[in-house]
């Protein structure tokens, strides 16, 4: 019964992401000149909706019975986050006009974080904790780099608009 309750929640989240994808598609193409930031945001919400739909339909779910405590692994979540979170970081890089080195470092840290978390979730035995610890270390690296970007941007220019700060703050909060 617990699995069905989790799948209902996943279906609602996927529907909300699909509605968001439609909104960003409309926002991008109602403008005179399309925006790269809106296009990236559309792609990330659309891929997130697809990932959550795969979990809701049962395709992105597997049962791990080989460990001491059997559990459900939503691998569609890891796949979705492997696509969407780097796109969020690219979106932040576009908004804050970061150079390519900072953007590639952020995306690289994020990819290693999610891959090691996924390997830890499917591993059996005590070495899975090392994978999760590695994922935690790279999450800290992403948080530190985002916090330094945010603090340096606002230390030099206090006239930044609130949506840019909100985007970066939400990305920081979702990591914690």
């Amino acid at each position: 019964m617990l699995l069905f309750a989790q799948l209902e929640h996943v279906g609602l989240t996927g529907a909300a992401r699909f509605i968001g994808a439609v909104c960003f598609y409309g926002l991008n193409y109602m403008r005179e000149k399309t925006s790269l930031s809106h296009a990236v945001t559309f792609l990330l919400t659309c891929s997130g909706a697809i990932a959550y739909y795969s979990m809701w339909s049962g395709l992105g779910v597997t049962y791990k019975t080989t460990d001491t405590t059997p559990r459900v692994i939503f691998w569609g979540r890891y796949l979705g986050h492997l696509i969407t979170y780097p796109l969020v970081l690219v979106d932040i890089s576009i908004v804050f006009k970061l150079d390519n080195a900072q953007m590639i470092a952020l995306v690289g840290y994020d990819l290693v974080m999610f891959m090691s978390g996924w390997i830890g979730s499917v591993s059996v035995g005590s070495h899975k904790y090392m994978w999760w610890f590695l994922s935690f270390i790279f999450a800290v690296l992403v948080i530190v780099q985002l916090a330094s970007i945010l603090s340096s941007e606002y230390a030099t220019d206090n006239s930044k608009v609130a949506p840019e700060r909100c985007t970066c703050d939400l990305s920081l909060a979702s990591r914690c």
Side-chain angles (χ1 to χ4, degrees), residues 47-176:
S47 61
I50 290 168
Y52 277 93
Y53 178 72
S54 75
M55 289 184 288
W56 179 71
S57 66
L59 180 65
V61 180
T62 193
Y63 299 98
K64 182 179 174 185
T65 57
T66 56
D67 209 352
T68 56
T69 57
R71 62 188 179 104
V72 178
I73 297 175
F74 291 97
W75 62 266
R77 174 184 166 267
Y78 289 100
L79 182 62
H81 285 206
L82 195 64
I83 296 169
T84 58
Y85 272 98
L87 287 173
V88 167
L89 295 174
V90 167
D91 209 2
I92 289 172
S93 300
I94 292 168
V95 168
F96 283 105
K97 297 176 179 65
L98 300 180
D99 61 347
N100 288 340
Q102 288 176 314
M103 182 177 65
I104 289 172
L106 272 172
V107 169
Y109 296 159
D110 192 65
L111 291 174
V112 172
M113 178 188 69
F114 279 111
M115 286 304 296
S116 57
W118 176 74
I119 292 170
S121 72
V122 297
S123 295
V124 177
S126 61
H127 62 278
K128 66 184 170 188
Y129 299 109
M130 289 305 295
W131 286 107
W132 287 337
F133 181 71
L134 180 67
S135 178
F136 172 75
I137 294 297
F138 278 94
V140 168
L141 288 173
V142 170
I143 290 170
V144 166
Q145 189 164 358
L146 282 176
S148 71
I149 289 167
L150 189 63
S151 65
S152 68
E153 284 292 321
Y154 292 108
T156 59
D157 186 11
N158 290 331
S159 64
K160 291 282 185 184
V161 288
E164 293 174 356
R165 180 173 177 115
C166 182
T167 303
C168 199
D169 287 345
L170 284 175
S171 181
L172 275 172
S174 69
R175 303 287 173 179
C176 296

